Amino acid sequence: MRHHFYRHLATATAVSLVVLASPAVMAQEVRQEPVADFTLANGLEVVVIPDHRAPVVTHMLWYKVGGSDEEPGKSGIAHFFEHLMFKGTKNAKPGEFSRRVAEIGGQENAFTSNDYTAYYQQVSPDVLPDMMRFEADRMRNLILTDEVIGPERDVILEERNSRVDSDPGGILAEEIDATLYQNHPYGTPVIGWKHEIAQLNRKDAIDFYDRYYAPNNAVLVVAGDVDAETVKKLAEDTYAKVPRGPDLPPRIRPTEPEQNTARTVTLKDPRVGVPSFQKNWLVPSYTSAVREKLDGEPEALDLLSEILGGGIRSRLHQELVVKRGIASSAGAYYQGTALDDTDITFYGSPRGAASLAEVEAAIDSEIAKLIESGVTQEELDRARNRFLRSLIFARDSQSGMARIYGSTLTTGGSIRDIDEWPDRIRKVTTDDIRAVAKKYLSPDRAVTGYLLPAGGNAG
Amino acid sequence: MRHHFYRHLATATAVSLVVLASPAVMAQEVRQEPVADFTLANGLEVVVIPDHRAPVVTHMLWYKVGGSDEEPGKSGIAHFFEHLMFKGTKNAKPGEFSRRVAEIGGQENAFTSNDYTAYYQQVSPDVLPDMMRFEADRMRNLILTDEVIGPERDVILEERNSRVDSDPGGILAEEIDATLYQNHPYGTPVIGWKHEIAQLNRKDAIDFYDRYYAPNNAVLVVAGDVDAETVKKLAEDTYAKVPRGPDLPPRIRPTEPEQNTARTVTLKDPRVGVPSFQKNWLVPSYTSAVREKLDGEPEALDLLSEILGGGIRSRLHQELVVKRGIASSAGAYYQGTALDDTDITFYGSPRGAASLAEVEAAIDSEIAKLIESGVTQEELDRARNRFLRSLIFARDSQSGMARIYGSTLTTGGSIRDIDEWPDRIRKVTTDDIRAVAKKYLSPDRAVTGYLLPAGGNAG
């Protein structure tokens, strides 16, 4: 699955990015002022999403670079910048930007995925000029010395230790990805392999910064109590002064070969209490489907995962958790917003006396049943309504809206894709659902991960 | 496991390269004239191994480049040269070199591994000057046009189709490697992924040729009825005239993260009659052990695989095939001659009414028993004698001897390593064997491949 790593400064808890799983919302139903989109002379694309319900503005700068753009052997350098960007620049002391956000009661954060890196602040509109000035400054003026890099590398190694290496689920997730992706860099963890993080140095950082941190490789998204003209003027005063960076080639990464085998990945660990499993398949993303001429499949995969495993009304939850009572959880998710072929995941964990094997068999059986008999029109309609409704809620969050635009525009999608997306979801038929299930969810090509207590077994 | 691909011209059957599994022979016991080793001004290393028993000479040119040196997304380009090198040069028509070898009753071949590419001819000594002239010529003078590349790409795709895609075992082997190697390019097939071969073009070929095909990236090995002075003089007339190529950086590839999971890879196919399995672990190679300060481990792994699975006197064969009669085959091999961490493999196939699961359990049990109780001194001595003796036989083949030098020198080893190797094997103790077994052969980190008939299962 595509992983996000968050850096938390002002915020105390992880921000849910579940909305990223789909590239759009019911934009036209609820939007009031139109979204503005323009490009500065230096190549920076700017999207303004007016939202005047509260005197708040979300300022997000997205870079079209993520973990999967790293050179082999340099894993973790993209995420490294999520840390380095909070250090000093030629014009601002280390931490000065963050202190400014904190002193006016704002929030800030940053996150890195396989495909993008983003930085944001949520503040009152009067300090937006300040935010833009600081953000434009650190796009090019970071001071990258050994004194900065060395200690921060230790911080990141400790972050990796606490998030991945101390967590059996984290370790397993990495090896599942490495197994599912046989050739594509989605198999490499965004935070980086430990031994490669440990080798990252000043030269790596400067090379990466000079290549990818430039206005023509970024998208600015400003959502909130502000209008496009104001943002445009402010952008001219700040970002427009940053010189254009190198022209980058298309983001073409090694792609997957045909997958011909069923694979399993098993981790037994004394820290695991209740066993769990997940089953993954390689499927097209919204962007790769366009390249591969698989129109409509991502939309069908979104609804397939909703019907089978999206929340408490889904088949898996109803059958395994509610009706049979053998699972404490069971569901599915599809990561459609990605530059390249992505994955759909089914998961479950047993309850009471039930075994993990029973839960897995029940999920397999639900998938087989759907492939065999499809879904009814009524079931599709209900799932589609739930799905579209959940996106209206997502849109209600200013930062959620900004994330939809940012993540879509940095993974090969367009504003038109966002606008048209609800209609494309509406066009999905019951046949489409069954067709993608049949095409992709073959037991002979699944990658299944088992997280087991020490001494446990998957059977 | 490290794969070799062979191109057969004069030879009708595959040449066994089993001797490559270990980097040396009982050189000092049987060598008559000393091996000569010198380097030309342009960087070409030359090794001459006199062997006057018959009027035959083996001329092998080894390049320090293989599949694992390719850029991501360009898999197959190293092996592509195994074909392109038989096309025309500025001075020789397509096939002219091969016709010359054939008309004098010689043999020729070429092979590509993850770490090296080699070309050789076996001829009478009087035509050695010709061979050296042709070989030196194609080092730099290949004509690489679209007219050459396009048709040969189709030939390679067909080669891949017949060797891999039409063979369930070939497909499975690729996905086992891709699963075992989570980060290192040994996970990419030497012949290349089909969709990447299909994209290889003239520019890729020229870039690769200009980077890697140069005297300072090659080792010439001449074995046979010839003396060092003669070879030196001939080399001065031929190879010495080829200009030095670019200085290449050290061959440092992405390395494996810690492996924490047990993984399985299963292929069910109607073409499979009798099921089989193999179990692989990541272990140091002779070269990586030096880097990682694991002195003596490769030698212990060589003897461990001999004791457990090397031929009919091994524990696995004796227990599973002879005594219990549950397996038609059972054994082990270790690929120590590699630039980077490599693998040790155990395999087996059931006989009669026995199930694959029984065979696997029996092999697991033999491994567990060795970890628990070790081996006796007498057993080690017998295995060591068998092992060293098999290498004397290998040395008896002129081309086998040349291959030992070529493969060692192109995977980071030295002539001194070859000379000292028998003594290092003699120093291995029973404790060393048990220690490497215990350290590496953990069931919780094995990658197991199952090749099953359609409808079969591994249990």
Side-chain angles (χ1 to χ4, degrees):
Chain A
M1 78 199 87
R2 312 281 56 71
H3 294 296
H4 298 270
F5 285 91
Y6 305 99
R7 184 164 188 278
H8 296 288
L9 295 163
T11 54
T13 55
V15 177
S16 164
L17 281 200
V18 65
V19 66
L20 278 178
S22 291
V25 293
M26 306 282 287
Q28 62 272 46
E29 281 90 340
V30 283
R31 190 186 299 156
Q32 293 164 343
E33 280 178 54
V35 169
D37 177 33
F38 53 90
T39 301
L40 304 185
N42 61 8
L44 180 71
E45 181 174 3
V46 183
V47 177
V48 184
I49 309 164
D51 169 13
H52 301 293
R53 293 174 299 172
V56 176
V57 68
T58 300
H59 172 247
M60 280 192 171
L61 189 65
W62 295 72
Y63 290 96
K64 294 178 187 173
V65 66
S68 297
D69 299 299
E70 297 160 337
E71 275 179 58
K74 301 290 183 188
S75 64
I77 190 69
H79 166 259
F80 207 139
F81 273 86
E82 203 188 298
H83 291 243
L84 294 174
M85 288 287 274
F86 293 86
K87 301 299 175 186
T89 73
K90 288 177 198 160
N91 305 302
K93 295 202 183 75
E96 188 180 330
F97 187 3
S98 295
R99 275 195 302 279
R100 179 76 181 121
V101 174
E103 84 193 9
I104 49 107
Q107 296 195 324
E108 67 170 353
N109 216 325
F111 46 89
T112 311
S113 85
N114 298 84
D115 294 329
Y116 50 74
T117 312
Y119 301 87
Y120 77 90
Q121 307 85 37
Q122 199 158 35
V123 293
S124 59
D126 59 303
V127 294
L128 179 60
D130 248 21
M131 301 298 106
M132 292 173 75
R133 182 174 55 79
F134 273 116
E135 196 65 84
D137 176 44
R138 68 180 174 178
M139 182 185 281
R140 284 282 73 222
N141 295 324
L142 273 187
I143 296 169
L144 296 169
T145 59
D146 287 336
E147 292 66 37
V148 172
I149 307 281
E152 203 59 37
R153 187 174 47 223
D154 293 339
V155 170
I156 293 168
L157 284 167
E158 181 48 40
E159 177 186 351
R160 190 192 143 91
N161 188 46
S162 72
R163 288 197 183 169
V164 182
D165 301 317
S166 304
D167 170 17
I171 296 169
L172 178 64
E174 282 191 349
E175 300 210 10
I176 290 171
D177 278 349
T179 301
L180 178 63
Y181 293 96
Q182 302 186 114
N183 198 43
H184 190 282
Y186 285 168
T188 303
V190 170
I191 198 169
W193 296 117
K194 181 160 62 179
H195 67 293
E196 294 187 348
I197 298 172
Q199 298 293 322
L200 294 174
N201 59 38
R202 181 168 167 267
K203 182 180 182 305
D204 298 328
I206 291 174
D207 287 351
F208 193 86
Y209 188 57
D210 287 348
R211 185 171 172 83
Y212 294 113
Y213 277 69
N216 49 319
N217 196 43
V219 179
L220 174 67
V221 182
V222 182
D225 191 13
V226 67
D227 61 69
E229 277 314 301
T230 305
V231 172
K232 193 166 197 167
K233 194 169 160 305
L234 292 170
E236 291 292 348
D237 290 344
T238 53
Y239 290 106
K241 304 203 162 138
V242 182
R244 176 184 281 269
D247 287 331
L248 296 176
R251 296 169 79 189
I252 299 171
R253 293 125 168 203
T255 55
E256 282 302 301
E258 187 181 354
Q259 301 208 338
N260 299 287
T261 59
R263 282 153 280 160
T264 69
V265 185
T266 303
L267 182 65
K268 296 180 189 178
D269 192 289
R271 290 167 291 183
V272 175
V274 177
S276 61
F277 90 103
Q278 56 164 279
K279 194 163 281 208
N280 304 270
W281 281 278
L282 191 72
V283 291
S285 70
Y286 274 90
T287 301
S288 69
V290 173
R291 278 199 304 270
E292 296 159 21
K293 302 194 185 3
L294 302 171
D295 280 0
E297 289 195 353
E299 292 82 355
L301 287 162
D302 254 331
L303 291 175
L304 170 69
S305 86
E306 179 69 30
I307 290 169
L308 271 175
I312 60 165
R313 302 304 312 159
S314 70
R315 285 189 180 190
L316 292 181
H317 188 91
Q318 285 295 313
E319 179 70 19
L320 277 73
V321 178
V322 177
K323 192 168 144 199
R324 294 179 55 190
I326 59 172
S328 60
S329 70
Y333 50 92
Y334 162 60
Q335 299 275 2
T337 303
L339 199 56
D340 299 315
D341 282 357
T342 180
D343 43 80
I344 187 167
T345 302
F346 296 81
Y347 63 89
S349 192
R351 183 167 71 187
S355 71
L356 190 60
E358 275 178 86
V359 175
E360 182 178 2
I363 291 179
D364 287 348
S365 155
E366 287 298 322
I367 294 171
K369 196 162 80 183
L370 190 147
I371 291 171
E372 177 67 24
S373 314
V375 299
T376 66
Q377 186 63 46
E378 192 196 346
E379 187 179 21
L380 171 57
D381 291 340
R382 280 201 312 266
R384 177 157 36 210
N385 286 341
R386 286 201 308 272
F387 189 69
L388 292 172
R389 209 159 49 232
S390 73
L391 293 163
I392 296 177
F393 291 128
R395 188 265 180 221
D396 202 48
S397 149
Q398 192 180 89
S399 64
M401 192 70 168
R403 282 186 187 118
I404 288 163
Y405 278 82
S407 62
T408 302
L409 295 175
T410 53
T411 58
S414 66
I415 290 184
R416 186 172 161 186
D417 289 331
I418 299 171
D419 290 341
E420 293 179 350
W421 183 83
D423 277 345
R424 287 158 65 186
I425 286 289
R426 285 192 192 95
K427 283 189 187 133
V428 174
T429 67
T430 56
D431 282 351
D432 294 336
I433 307 271
R434 193 174 161 202
V436 290
K438 190 170 176 182
K439 180 173 179 183
Y440 293 110
L441 306 187
S442 159
D444 291 341
R445 289 194 301 272
V447 174
T448 309
Y450 299 100
L451 188 61
L452 305 176
N457 71 70
Chain B
M1 82 198 83
R2 312 280 56 71
H3 293 297
H4 297 270
F5 284 91
Y6 306 99
R7 184 165 187 277
H8 295 289
L9 296 162
T11 55
T13 54
V15 177
S16 165
L17 281 201
V18 66
V19 66
L20 279 178
S22 291
V25 293
M26 305 282 286
Q28 63 270 47
E29 282 89 342
V30 283
R31 190 186 299 156
Q32 293 164 343
E33 278 178 56
V35 169
D37 177 32
F38 52 92
T39 301
L40 304 185
N42 62 8
L44 180 71
E45 181 173 3
V46 183
V47 177
V48 184
I49 309 165
D51 169 15
H52 302 293
R53 294 174 298 171
V56 176
V57 67
T58 299
H59 173 245
M60 280 194 172
L61 189 64
W62 295 71
Y63 290 96
K64 294 177 188 174
V65 65
S68 297
D69 299 299
E70 297 159 337
E71 276 178 55
K74 301 290 183 190
S75 65
I77 189 70
H79 166 258
F80 208 138
F81 273 85
E82 202 187 300
H83 290 243
L84 293 174
M85 289 286 275
F86 293 86
K87 301 299 175 186
T89 73
K90 288 177 198 160
N91 306 302
K93 293 201 185 74
E96 189 180 328
F97 188 3
S98 295
R99 273 194 304 277
R100 180 76 180 120
V101 174
E103 86 193 8
I104 49 106
Q107 296 194 323
E108 67 172 353
N109 215 327
F111 46 90
T112 311
S113 85
N114 298 84
D115 294 329
Y116 49 74
T117 313
Y119 302 87
Y120 78 89
Q121 305 86 38
Q122 199 157 35
V123 293
S124 60
D126 59 303
V127 293
L128 179 61
D130 248 21
M131 300 298 106
M132 292 173 75
R133 183 174 54 79
F134 273 116
E135 196 65 84
D137 175 43
R138 66 180 175 178
M139 182 185 282
R140 284 283 70 222
N141 295 324
L142 272 188
I143 296 169
L144 297 170
T145 60
D146 287 337
E147 291 66 39
V148 172
I149 307 282
E152 203 58 36
R153 187 173 48 223
D154 293 340
V155 170
I156 293 169
L157 284 167
E158 181 47 39
E159 177 185 350
R160 188 191 146 93
N161 187 46
S162 72
R163 287 200 183 165
V164 181
D165 301 317
S166 303
D167 171 16
I171 296 169
L172 179 65
E174 282 192 349
E175 300 210 10
I176 290 171
D177 278 349
T179 300
L180 177 62
Y181 293 96
Q182 301 186 115
N183 198 44
H184 189 281
Y186 285 168
T188 303
V190 170
I191 198 169
W193 296 117
K194 182 160 61 178
H195 67 293
E196 294 186 350
I197 298 171
Q199 298 293 323
L200 294 174
N201 58 38
R202 182 169 165 267
K203 184 181 180 303
D204 297 329
I206 291 174
D207 288 351
F208 193 86
Y209 188 57
D210 287 348
R211 184 171 173 81
Y212 294 114
Y213 277 69
N216 47 319
N217 196 44
V219 178
L220 173 68
V221 182
V222 182
D225 191 13
V226 68
D227 61 70
E229 277 314 302
T230 306
V231 173
K232 192 165 199 169
K233 192 170 162 305
L234 292 171
E236 290 293 347
D237 290 344
T238 53
Y239 290 105
K241 304 204 163 136
V242 182
R244 174 184 281 269
D247 286 331
L248 296 176
R251 297 169 81 189
I252 298 171
R253 293 125 168 203
T255 55
E256 281 303 301
E258 188 182 353
Q259 300 207 341
N260 299 286
T261 60
R263 282 153 281 160
T264 68
V265 185
T266 304
L267 182 65
K268 296 180 188 180
D269 191 290
R271 289 167 291 184
V272 175
V274 177
S276 62
F277 91 103
Q278 55 163 276
K279 193 163 282 206
N280 304 269
W281 280 277
L282 191 73
V283 291
S285 71
Y286 273 91
T287 300
S288 69
V290 174
R291 279 200 303 270
E292 297 160 21
K293 303 194 182 7
L294 302 171
D295 280 1
E297 289 194 355
E299 292 82 355
L301 287 162
D302 255 331
L303 291 175
L304 170 68
S305 85
E306 179 68 29
I307 290 169
L308 270 176
I312 59 165
R313 301 305 311 159
S314 69
R315 286 191 181 188
L316 291 180
H317 188 90
Q318 285 297 313
E319 180 69 20
L320 277 72
V321 178
V322 177
K323 192 167 144 202
R324 294 178 55 190
I326 59 171
S328 60
S329 68
Y333 49 92
Y334 162 60
Q335 297 276 3
T337 304
L339 199 57
D340 299 314
D341 283 356
T342 180
D343 43 80
I344 186 167
T345 302
F346 296 81
Y347 63 88
S349 191
R351 183 167 72 185
S355 71
L356 190 60
E358 276 177 85
V359 175
E360 182 179 1
I363 291 179
D364 288 347
S365 153
E366 287 298 322
I367 293 171
K369 196 162 79 184
L370 191 147
I371 291 171
E372 177 65 25
S373 313
V375 299
T376 66
Q377 186 63 47
E378 192 195 347
E379 187 179 22
L380 171 57
D381 291 340
R382 279 200 314 266
R384 178 158 33 212
N385 285 340
R386 286 201 308 272
F387 188 68
L388 292 172
R389 208 159 49 230
S390 73
L391 293 162
I392 296 177
F393 290 129
R395 190 267 180 216
D396 201 48
S397 150
Q398 192 180 90
S399 64
M401 192 70 170
R403 282 187 186 114
I404 288 163
Y405 279 82
S407 61
T408 301
L409 295 174
T410 53
T411 58
S414 66
I415 290 184
R416 185 172 161 186
D417 289 331
I418 298 172
D419 290 341
E420 293 180 349
W421 183 83
D423 276 344
R424 287 159 64 186
I425 285 289
R426 286 193 190 95
K427 285 190 185 133
V428 174
T429 67
T430 56
D431 282 350
D432 294 337
I433 307 271
R434 192 174 162 202
V436 290
K438 189 170 178 183
K439 179 172 179 182
Y440 293 111
L441 306 187
S442 160
D444 292 341
R445 289 195 300 271
V447 173
T448 310
Y450 299 100
L451 188 61
L452 305 176
N457 70 70

